[in-house]
Amino acid sequence: MDALSAQADEPSAIAHALSRVCQDSFAAPQRRKTLRCAVLAGLFCLLIYNANLRAIDAGDTYSARYLPFAIWHWHTVFLDPILDITTQGWKPIEARKPTEMPKTADPAQAFWAVRLPSGHTVSLYPVTAPVLLAPLYLPAAAYLSAVRADPLQMDRIARIMEKVCASLIASLSAALLYLLIRRRTDQR
């Protein structure tokens, strides 16, 4: 009886193995299709995010816009070498103790740049994003070094790079979100 049940189980084991192979062979094209849809969604988002061709124009973005150039050209996260272009002609604020903070901000100061007691100027905002995005700025930094660009050219290229990098991050997150949602809904 055991020999008969073993023979009866053998075809079901083969059928089970065959069905797994078939599922895997059908799953590979499905994964490629899902990945292709995610890439297309990301590219579509990239196109939409850049469609207006306007730069991000807010004071809190100036440091992040120019800091990758300081990293590549001067190897620093201080704003000292790019102070004029980063502060846009305004004077950086002086570092103060929390108890000495004024009630209102001086409109003639660049609130996004802080001059430390050591004399260096730093960004008031976190430098993580500019440091992590610095590799994307390498072609632009190399171009600016090659042509010995003036501050006006640097400003124009920095605005383009800021827009492209911001929209690239947003479109990558949209594509990854699509993949995550697709994975969660396929499990049901």
Side-chain angles (χ1 to χ4, degrees):
M1 194 62 121
D2 290 332
L4 287 174
S5 65
Q7 288 177 351
D9 286 342
E10 188 176 313
S12 66
I14 293 172
H16 180 67
L18 185 59
S19 70
R20 292 206 60 186
V21 168
C22 290
Q23 285 176 352
D24 288 345
S25 65
F26 288 123
Q30 182 64 28
R31 282 193 298 261
R32 269 186 258 137
K33 182 180 177 185
T34 302
L35 187 60
R36 194 173 335 140
C37 288
V39 168
L40 288 174
L43 289 174
F44 179 72
C45 289
L46 186 66
L47 178 74
I48 295 300
Y49 294 147
N50 286 303
N52 65 6
L53 300 176
R54 283 187 283 165
I56 303 165
D57 201 26
D60 60 347
T61 65
Y62 291 138
S63 300
R65 180 185 299 169
Y66 303 109
L67 195 56
F69 294 112
I71 291 170
W72 280 113
H73 191 65
W74 292 281
H75 311 289
T76 183
V77 292
F78 291 123
L79 299 177
D80 300 334
I82 53 170
L83 187 61
D84 292 337
I85 196 165
T86 304
T87 58
Q88 301 286 306
W90 301 98
K91 186 177 76 167
I93 61 175
E94 298 294 324
R96 298 183 185 114
K97 293 180 182 173
T99 56
E100 300 171 0
M101 295 302 283
K103 298 282 188 240
T104 60
D106 183 0
Q109 289 185 319
F111 63 88
W112 54 89
V114 179
R115 184 171 310 278
L116 300 176
S118 65
H120 291 295
T121 306
V122 295
S123 174
L124 181 65
Y125 298 98
V127 297
T128 306
V131 169
L132 291 176
L133 290 174
L136 296 176
Y137 276 68
L138 179 61
Y143 170 76
L144 289 173
S145 292
V147 299
R148 302 203 190 288
D150 62 355
L152 193 58
Q153 286 177 309
M154 181 180 176
D155 183 53
R156 187 174 63 248
I157 290 176
R159 287 174 186 267
I160 292 168
M161 289 302 300
E162 177 188 36
K163 177 78 172 183
V164 168
C165 288
S167 60
L168 184 64
I169 289 172
S171 60
L172 280 174
S173 66
L176 290 174
L177 181 64
Y178 173 81
L179 289 173
L180 177 68
I181 291 172
R182 188 62 197 247
R183 174 190 259 180
R184 298 288 294 187
T185 57
D186 284 349
Q187 290 177 353
R188 293 181 186 183

